[in-house]
Amino acid sequence: MKLHKAFVILSILLVIYNCKEESKKEEKVSSKEVIQKKIDTVTTKIIKGEPKEIPWDSLNHKNVTAFLTEYGKQNKENKVVIKTKFGSIKLRLFSETPLHRASFVFLSKIGYFDTTVFHRIAGDMAIQGGESDGQESTDIKNKYKNYRIPAEMSKKRKHIYGSLALARQLDYNPYKKSNPFNFYIISSKRGAPHLDGDYTVFGEVISGFSTVRKISKVKTGRSDWPIVDIPMTITVLN
């Protein structure tokens, strides 16, 4: 009888101990989740100065300005390098176009442009990149709801040789919002002044003009798409 009572008591103690251990595990998991949530969120003021948490990966067509403004504050880099089989192109992004700079840095850091090619060679005027025949780039566009960026045009920034700008939809776009996924670099030494005031110039080439010229001379086929694809990788520089 005594042995039976001892066994019952031991069983109860084991149950209590296991419950405590499970509770500790739940507390650890809970704390880890809280920390991860803090890492994966940014705080920004959106409406009437009221703070609101936005997941860092939640960019879409409804929160473009708020998201990119906050992202720009936390990611202040202003130089990138485009690497191709023809060489590299180093670019400086302008501070007076903060939304365009932040968007280009964001898409570069998540690797969007690494899934694309230089898809259009507009004579000797410009080389254009950011499109692809692959599904991966389309999936990224869809993930971020094909957002568009409010125009940030400046009389100070012209379409001169080496200018970096974003393309845009011409129809049903009265505010001239930019397409963040589709950029171009002016490759003509004459520039392209007819584009001034219609597209946002947000950066400039600071080295690699020879690479720009090489790309501008490749043979193209339908829709000015190079006959041989020109893939790229874009790295954000600290």
Side-chain angles (χ1 to χ4, degrees):
M1 190 69 178
K2 289 182 179 180
L3 183 61
H4 176 71
K5 285 184 179 180
F7 178 80
V8 170
I9 292 171
L10 179 61
S11 298
I12 293 172
L13 290 173
L14 285 172
V15 169
I16 293 172
Y17 175 81
N18 288 332
C19 287
K20 286 183 178 179
E21 286 300 305
E22 287 298 318
S23 177
K24 287 180 181 179
K25 287 181 181 179
E26 289 178 3
E27 288 177 4
K28 288 181 180 178
V29 171
S30 178
S31 298
K32 185 177 179 181
E33 289 175 350
V34 169
I35 293 170
Q36 190 61 47
K37 183 178 179 181
K38 288 181 179 179
I39 292 173
D40 290 344
T41 59
V42 294
T43 302
T44 185
K45 295 180 179 179
I46 298 179
I47 302 172
K48 297 181 181 179
E50 296 176 1
K52 181 177 179 180
E53 287 188 344
I54 302 179
W56 79 269
D57 210 19
S58 69
L59 177 58
N60 61 65
H61 62 281
K62 293 182 180 180
N63 70 355
V64 174
T65 299
F67 182 97
L68 292 179
T69 297
E70 184 62 26
Y71 188 86
K73 290 178 182 178
Q74 299 188 25
N75 298 267
K76 298 182 179 181
E77 301 94 333
N78 70 343
K79 291 184 180 68
V80 302
V81 61
I82 303 174
K83 295 182 179 179
T84 74
K85 59 186 177 183
F86 292 101
S88 298
I89 305 168
K90 190 174 181 180
L91 298 149
R92 179 172 71 89
L93 310 180
F94 299 145
S95 59
E96 62 262 36
T97 51
L99 300 182
H100 284 66
R101 183 197 66 79
S103 175
F104 203 75
V105 169
F106 174 75
L107 292 178
S108 296
K109 284 189 174 183
I110 66 170
Y112 168 75
F113 294 114
D114 298 353
T115 69
T116 70
V117 298
F118 277 97
H119 64 277
R120 180 170 180 256
I121 308 302
D124 69 344
M125 184 187 74
I127 59 174
Q128 193 166 342
E131 294 293 343
S132 171
D133 284 333
Q135 185 62 40
E136 192 174 1
S137 58
T138 299
D139 290 342
I140 294 174
K141 288 181 182 179
N142 291 337
K143 178 178 180 178
Y144 299 110
K145 311 300 181 185
N146 285 287
Y147 71 94
R148 295 295 181 258
I149 310 173
E152 294 180 299
M153 295 173 197
S154 167
K155 292 182 179 180
K156 177 183 176 182
R157 301 301 181 184
K158 307 289 186 180
H159 283 79
I160 61 174
Y161 182 40
S163 290
L164 171 69
L166 288 184
R168 67 177 178 83
Q169 181 181 327
L170 296 178
D171 298 329
Y172 309 108
N173 188 10
Y175 299 108
K176 301 179 180 179
K177 292 184 176 182
S178 300
N179 176 352
F181 306 100
N182 200 315
F183 69 90
Y184 62 90
I185 298 170
I186 299 300
S187 54
S188 171
K189 291 184 178 181
R190 300 184 301 275
H194 62 287
L195 300 178
D196 293 342
D198 282 325
Y199 302 85
T200 297
V201 174
F202 70 101
E204 63 183 358
V205 174
I206 54 179
S207 68
F209 284 95
S210 61
T211 301
V212 174
R213 289 193 295 272
K214 288 175 185 176
I215 295 174
S216 71
K217 294 177 181 179
V218 301
K219 292 183 179 180
T220 59
R222 188 177 179 182
S223 300
D224 297 325
W225 195 295
I227 293 174
V228 178
D229 276 350
I230 307 173
M232 73 181 82
T233 60
I234 299 185
T235 302
V236 178
L237 303 177
N238 293 323

